[in-house]
């Protein structure tokens, strides 16, 4: 928090004068005390052992220091427990500083903090979502989209230039199957009316046929070779499938509020991947096996050989080869400071191999990072197991509409369907972030759509309630307010920790209606402050706040 830095620095300067240690060194040892809903506590704590050392009379040193501390214009109470000093900030000053800073910074509050000054800023490229062309947007890509969007939002808010890349699965053997199978199972009329659904149906049928029919497998490989060699008819059909797919994906991204700066894909690197094979040869890194495959030995420091395949025996390239080409192309094109790949954990070995090959080629792979996550299980609609993301979004919206109608709140909104959509997506996002990042987790609709607890519905509910209070704020243009009108424990706790649950407690205990004009004005300032920070945090997560629900 920005204002936390102001208070921490004041504490560090007083302690510095007493222990003869530079305040900058002390600053890094002062931390906010975690929020407690059950009891009030001091605001900051300082662990002294690392500063004073363990040698002789440690407890006595701490006791002497505690006795020397005096109240000043910032801190008015001190505590000592097990070698840890605690500090309580003057409440009127805390209210004044926090409210003023949020009013000044608005949605940027928190991002001008000294706590972020040590983080280098630059150009960050984030690759996420990355669905497979010619297939409906599978629910498995939801986590990549949510997590990647948050990482990109956070990096941008922290002052980085961010390029958001959707690296489509638009090349590979599945297109050989689809291209070969469309002539037998495809229908242009169905393709135009519902492209992804029809392509999915064709893909299922051609896969079943290929399991029993060697000729179908041969046709698929032949179609893929034609694609690789640039056959006009094959390329035309592939381009047709790709264009229709992106149109459908754009509709889903619009619902999620997700945008990309660049739509890329494996196909962009089908020619450059051959250049990569030539580069690997020239660097004496590529080895050819007895059956004609091209491999790279990834062993380090005399370990046993570990091979990664980069070329099939027929000379065509693989996903890994194209990823090498993409990484090097981006390094040359953007000269990024950091590139983040956001995929599920099944691709961990793939990215380990990618980074090792980049290093062997003399590239700075330390700029590349893989953020991996576990899979979502049990995501079902009332009709059964879900395959496609559209079905999940429709289900979330339908369930929220049902809940709103049941609670009698749908009439209060101008567009109940749009409101239900935004709340439903918030529920999905928060439920996803509550799940462990790298472990699989089981999705539960009842938990996700609860209106209490740590849920997206509760976040939206809190924002809408805060927004509704502001309709009473006729004195909004007056910036000054009496800080003594905001000394209640619920107001202090909320400003200390800026949590939605604490904001809700404050909403119940700090009445605006029926208060004196001076108190009402101060409280509305307070509630608007909380609403600004809450909305900013929700937007970072990819949630669009609603004003009514």
């Amino acid at each position: 928090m920005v204002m936390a830095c102001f208070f921490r620095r004041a504490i560090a300067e007083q302690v510095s004068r007493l222990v003869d240690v530079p305040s900058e060194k002390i600053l890094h040892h002062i931390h906010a005390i975690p929020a407690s809903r059950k009891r009030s506590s001091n605001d900051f704590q300082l662990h002294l052992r690392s500063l004073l050392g363990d040698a002789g009379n440690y407890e006595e040193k701490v006791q002497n220091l505690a006795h020397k501390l005096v109240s000043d214009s910032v801190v008015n109470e001190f505590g000592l427990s097990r070698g840890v000093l605690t500090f309580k900030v003057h409440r009127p000053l805390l209210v004044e500083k926090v409210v003023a800073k949020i009013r000044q910074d608005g949605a940027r509050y928190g991002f001008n903090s000294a706590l972020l000054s040590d983080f280098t800023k630059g150009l960050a490229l984030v690759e996420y979502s990355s669905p497979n062309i010619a297939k409906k947007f599978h629910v498995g890509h939801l986590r990549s989209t949510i997590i990647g969007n948050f990482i990109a939002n956070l990096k941008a808010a922290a002052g980085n230039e961010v390029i958001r890349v959707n690296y489509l699965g638009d090349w590979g053997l599945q297109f050989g199957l689809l291209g070969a199978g469309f002539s037998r199972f495809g229908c242009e009329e169905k393709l135009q009316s519902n492209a992804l659904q029809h392509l999915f149906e064709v893909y299922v049928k051609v896969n079943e046929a290929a399991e029993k029919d060697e000729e179908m497998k041969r046709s698929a490989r032949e179609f893929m070779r034609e694609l690789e060699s640039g056959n006009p008819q094959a390329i035309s059909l592939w381009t047709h499938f790709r264009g229709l797919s992106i149109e459908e994906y754009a509709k889903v991204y619009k619902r999620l509020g997700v945008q990309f700066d660049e739509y890329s894909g494996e196909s962009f690197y089908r020619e450059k991947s051959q250049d990569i094979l030539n580069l690997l040869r020239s660097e004496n890194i590529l080895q050819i096996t007895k059956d004609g495959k091209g491999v790279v030995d990834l062993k380090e420091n005399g370990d046993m050989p570990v091979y990664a395949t980069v070329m099939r025996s027929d000379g065509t390239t693989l996903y890994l080869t194209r990823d090498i080409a993409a990484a090097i192309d981006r390094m040359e094109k953007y000269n990024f400071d950091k590139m983040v790949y956001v995929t599920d954990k099944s691709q961990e070995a793939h990215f380990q191999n990618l980074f090792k090959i980049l290093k062997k080629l003399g590239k700075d792979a330390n700029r590349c990072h893989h953020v991996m996550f576990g899979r979502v299980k049990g995501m079902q609609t009332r009709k059964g197991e879900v395959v496609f993301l559209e079905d999940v979004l429709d289900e979330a919206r339908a369930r929220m509409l049902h809940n709103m109608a049941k609670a009698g709140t749908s009439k209060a909104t101008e567009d109940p369907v749009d409101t239900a959509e935004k709340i439903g997506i918030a529920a999905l996002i928060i439920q996803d972030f509550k799940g462990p990042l790298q472990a699989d987790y089981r999705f539960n609709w009842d938990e996700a759509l609860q209106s209490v607890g740590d849920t997206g519905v509760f976040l939206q509910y809190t924002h809408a309630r805060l927004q509704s209070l502001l309709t009473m704020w006729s004195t909004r243009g007056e910036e000054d307010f009496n800080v003594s009108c905001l000394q209640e424990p619920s107001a202090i706790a909320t400003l200390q920790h800026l949590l939605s649950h604490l904001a809700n407690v404050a909403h119940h205990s700090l009445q605006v209606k029926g208060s004196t004009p001076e108190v009402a004005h101060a409280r509305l300032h307070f509630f608007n402050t909380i609403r600004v920070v809450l909305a900013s945090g929700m937007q970072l997560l990819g949630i669009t706040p609603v004003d009514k629900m």
Side-chain angles (χ1 to χ4, degrees), residues 21 24 30 71 93 124-125 130 139 176 189-190 243 250 306 312 325 333 339 346 408 446 455 458 484:
V21 173
E24 288 299 321
I30 301 173
S71 297
L93 181 66
L125 192 150
S130 305
V139 70
E189 187 177 335
K190 289 182 179 179
V306 178
R312 295 189 184 90
K333 181 178 179 181
M339 178 162 63
S346 68
D446 292 333
T455 68
F458 180 76
S484 66

Side-chain angles (χ1 to χ4, degrees), residues 26-218:
I26 296 170
L27 197 63
H28 295 291
H29 296 274
I30 301 173
H31 304 284
I33 295 175
S36 172
R37 299 182 201 172
K38 297 181 180 178
R39 58 183 174 79
S40 62
S41 64
N42 286 356
D43 305 308
F44 297 93
Q45 57 189 1
L46 170 58
H47 293 263
L48 293 160
R49 192 171 294 276
S50 58
L51 287 172
L52 300 182
D54 294 325
N57 302 321
Y58 171 73
E59 293 294 338
E60 185 179 333
K61 289 179 183 177
V62 176
Q63 291 279 359
N64 290 337
L65 175 58
H67 288 309
K68 292 177 182 177
L69 291 168
V70 295
S71 297
D72 57 18
S73 60
V74 176
V75 178
N76 67 333
E77 285 186 27
F78 306 92
L80 177 63
S81 175
R82 297 178 182 177
V84 178
L85 276 175
T86 62
F87 306 82
K88 186 175 183 178
V89 173
H90 279 291
R91 289 327 189 211
L93 181 66
L94 183 144
V95 172
E96 177 191 339
K97 290 289 186 181
V98 173
V99 172
K101 190 63 177 173
I102 294 174
R103 192 165 57 203
Q104 175 185 325
D105 290 355
R108 290 285 308 158
Y109 178 75
F111 287 99
N112 300 320
S113 169
L115 293 172
L116 299 177
S117 62
D118 291 338
F119 291 91
T120 56
K121 298 177 179 64
L123 176 61
L125 192 150
V126 186
E127 179 196 296
Y128 59 103
S129 193
S130 305
N132 294 312
I133 289 295
K135 294 182 183 179
K136 289 193 77 172
F137 201 138
H138 193 278
V139 70
H141 292 281
L142 176 62
R143 287 205 90 182
S144 176
T145 306
I146 289 173
I147 295 168
N149 191 49
F150 169 66
I151 291 171
N153 289 346
L154 191 60
K155 284 190 171 295
N160 296 280
E161 181 185 352
V162 177
I163 298 174
R164 302 160 188 258
V165 177
N166 197 340
Y167 186 69
L168 303 169
D170 63 355
W171 205 251
L173 196 55
Q174 76 269 22
F175 280 98
L177 283 166
L178 197 59
F182 192 77
S183 58
R184 186 190 297 186
F185 303 110
C187 170
E188 185 62 31
E189 187 177 335
K190 289 182 179 179
L191 186 67
Q192 292 298 331
S193 64
N194 194 337
L196 292 184
Q197 182 62 42
H198 183 54
L199 288 173
F200 176 72
E201 291 166 355
V202 171
Y203 189 71
V204 170
K205 289 177 181 177
V206 74
N207 262 299
E208 290 174 352
E211 287 179 6
K212 304 169 186 175
D213 185 356
E214 276 298 322
E215 181 60 25
M216 180 57 76
K217 287 183 182 177
R218 189 196 64 75

Side-chain angles (χ1 to χ4, degrees), residues 129 136-145 343-344 373-376 379 386-389 392:
S129 193
K136 289 193 77 172
F137 201 138
H138 193 278
V139 70
H141 292 281
L142 176 62
R143 287 205 90 182
S144 176
T145 306
T343 76
D344 74 61
F373 52 83
R375 294 181 176 179
V376 185
M379 191 172 268
V386 165
V387 176
F388 304 124
L389 181 56
V392 177

Side-chain angles (χ1 to χ4, degrees), residues 480-544:
D480 293 333
F481 65 95
N482 188 345
V483 295
S484 66
C485 296
L486 290 175
Q487 297 303 301
E488 294 85 355
S490 59
I492 297 299
T494 306
L495 288 172
Q496 279 177 306
H497 305 290
L498 297 172
L499 301 175
S500 62
H501 288 287
L502 294 172
N504 211 44
V505 170
H507 182 275
H508 284 291
S509 61
L510 304 180
Q511 297 295 316
V512 173
K513 198 171 182 178
S515 300
T516 65
E518 184 180 39
V519 171
H521 177 65
R523 288 178 176 176
L524 286 167
H525 256 297
F526 162 78
F527 285 123
N528 186 53
T529 293
I530 303 307
R531 184 200 61 78
V532 167
V533 176
L534 178 61
S536 174
M538 291 168 72
Q539 287 161 350
L540 279 176
L541 293 170
I543 297 170
T544 302

Side-chain angles (χ1 to χ4, degrees), residues 402-417:
H402 173 76
N403 291 355
M404 288 164 61
K406 195 175 177 181
T409 59
S410 57
K411 293 180 181 178
T413 62
E414 295 177 3
D415 189 341
V417 174

